[in-house]
Amino acid sequence: MSNPLSRFATTAAYGASQLPRMAWYVGHGLAMKQLARATLAQQTRPRARTDKPTPDRMRLLGDMAKLLQADLANVDAGIYPFPIDRDGAPWDVLNHSRLFFSDLPEIHRRRENGRTSEVLESGFRGKRPRYYLQNFHYQSGGWLTRESAQRYDTQVEVFFSGTANAMRRQALPPLHEVFAGRDPAGLKLLDAGCGTGRFLDFVKQAWPRLPIIGLDMSEAYIKEAKSHLRGRPRTRLMVGKCESLPLADESLDAVTSIFLFHELPPKIRRSALAEFARVLKPGGRLVLVDSLQTGDDPAYEGSLELFPQNFHEPYFSTYVKEDFGGLARECGLVHRRDVPAFVSKVMVFDKAA
């Protein structure tokens, strides 16, 4: 986009779309902190602590700005179109906000009492692998209920100050590299752990004719994804496990997984990577987006230590130390690079041709 006027207009439009939604979610975060202070006097469990460095406000704002600059640069370079976040109609946004705030007292109760598996008492016992039947983030319903699916996107955006979608979109440039010059209609992509379908919607914005598959273990989240992706052609959504994919060998050109691997036990991580390698065609690409790990950025070492103390994330401490390059080699995958994206990073792998 070489025209200066066009570039200015795109930049202005991008700011007008992203900054208000960031302010909305930052406001939720501030309100949540005020509510937390009000209950601090009744808190009995030890407060989360770390001796390691955490980023100050200016560092956080600077890294968020770098993420948005990268997002806009990708649009400017034609890697993907101007993003449409599709947060819903105003009444939908307000309803999701209501669901978010209404669950905070229950989250506080579970955190105080160490209640991490109440979903087992709600009729889900035996219906999913045990590692999945937990109240991740201490939230009601874990990843299993309709209400959880409806509040999930708000929770994630509040946690990331409105930058979650921008981080998800950083998985698109590695796909653009391998899709360029090819007919998208003849390719196929799987998003494992697709959740409510936010990332798949950005894939469809970039490649409308690309056949996509979204897989998740939660029927409720798949139902929410179907609603979110309604009208998107060549879209298949299914309930299934990433460690046992119901797909044929060498049947996919690309596999993606966003914000999933830090919630998998080490054994399941290995099984999932092996499955991704199995279903990829030779020369196919795997893109993972997930949290920073230990050693990625010294300024965030303390944040990585505090996160599992404040949120129920039982497998995070093993995730931050995981050697994904080594795991990839064991599966016949080549680790190409890691690219930081605010508090996340994009990991790119290829299956040997």
Side-chain angles (χ1 to χ4, degrees), residues 18-339:
Q18 294 300 310
L19 296 181
R21 72 186 300 275
M22 288 179 66
W24 172 256
Y25 292 117
V26 168
H28 280 61
L30 293 174
M32 183 175 65
K33 289 178 181 178
Q34 289 296 324
L35 292 172
R37 291 192 185 99
T39 59
L40 199 58
Q42 293 82 37
Q43 182 171 305
T44 58
R45 74 180 187 96
R47 295 185 64 182
R49 297 185 183 279
T50 180
D51 296 328
K52 298 176 182 177
T54 58
D56 59 25
R57 181 176 299 179
M58 293 307 297
R59 174 63 191 268
L60 286 170
L61 291 174
D63 287 347
M64 283 192 280
K66 289 179 182 177
L67 171 67
L68 297 184
Q69 289 168 359
D71 197 28
L72 180 59
N74 291 334
V75 174
D76 196 44
I79 294 174
Y80 47 83
F82 190 96
I84 302 173
D85 288 291
R86 299 181 67 210
D87 293 319
W91 49 87
D92 292 322
V93 175
L94 290 173
N95 183 51
H96 295 158
S97 178
R98 177 187 64 81
L99 287 169
F100 169 78
F101 282 110
S102 67
D103 197 39
L104 292 181
E106 286 298 297
I107 288 174
H108 174 70
R109 177 185 64 79
R110 290 189 191 92
R111 184 181 286 119
E112 279 288 283
N113 298 327
R115 301 283 290 174
T116 61
S117 299
E118 289 185 355
V119 291
L120 287 175
E121 304 163 9
S122 304
F124 292 106
R125 187 185 297 270
K127 295 182 179 180
R128 293 291 184 275
R130 179 62 184 88
Y131 76 83
Y132 191 73
L133 295 178
Q134 304 191 54
N135 293 81
F136 288 94
H137 297 193
Y138 294 107
Q139 74 168 2
S140 298
W143 304 138
L144 294 159
T145 64
R146 177 174 179 266
E147 292 76 14
S148 166
Q150 290 179 327
R151 68 168 64 95
Y152 173 79
D153 289 315
T154 298
Q155 288 176 326
V156 173
E157 289 289 9
V158 171
F159 183 74
F160 291 126
S161 301
T163 66
N165 277 348
M167 285 191 285
R168 290 183 177 109
R169 287 192 289 269
Q170 302 318 298
L172 297 176
L175 296 177
H176 177 82
E177 291 176 358
V178 295
F179 290 172
R182 305 168 70 183
D183 181 7
L187 306 175
K188 188 177 291 184
L189 175 142
L190 164 72
D191 186 39
C194 67
T196 62
R198 290 287 170 174
F199 174 68
L200 283 176
D201 187 57
F202 294 124
V203 170
K204 276 300 195 180
Q205 290 180 34
W207 301 283
R209 297 171 61 242
L210 174 69
I212 60 172
I213 302 170
L215 178 137
D216 201 278
M217 263 202 286
S218 172
E219 293 179 355
Y221 277 68
I222 286 292
K223 184 175 181 180
E224 189 74 11
K226 287 180 178 178
S227 175
H228 187 66
L229 294 165
R230 186 184 297 116
R232 297 290 191 187
R234 304 183 181 188
T235 298
R236 178 185 174 195
L237 299 169
M238 65 173 74
V239 176
K241 298 184 291 186
C242 62
E243 64 267 32
S244 181
L245 297 175
L247 299 168
D249 295 356
E250 299 185 356
S251 58
L252 302 173
D253 299 277
V255 175
T256 58
S257 188
I258 316 295
F259 302 149
L260 171 67
F261 268 64
H262 73 276
E263 293 186 339
L264 299 178
K267 181 179 178 180
I268 302 301
R269 274 184 223 128
R270 285 153 175 75
S271 298
L273 280 174
E275 279 291 272
F276 296 167
R278 178 183 67 82
V279 299
L280 275 173
K281 296 176 182 178
R285 173 150 288 186
L286 168 64
V287 183
L288 306 180
V289 177
D290 216 308
S291 166
L292 294 172
Q293 293 181 278
T294 300
D296 285 338
D297 190 328
Y300 285 92
E301 292 295 308
S303 300
L304 298 180
E305 194 171 273
L306 289 170
F307 177 54
Q309 296 182 52
N310 288 317
F311 297 84
H312 179 55
E313 286 289 358
Y315 312 115
F316 191 79
S317 61
T318 61
Y319 164 82
V320 295
K321 300 175 182 178
E322 194 71 89
D323 176 14
F324 282 95
L327 297 184
R329 284 191 298 273
E330 295 175 7
C331 301
L333 299 172
V334 180
H335 185 196
R336 295 300 186 192
R337 64 182 179 274
D338 294 339
V339 181

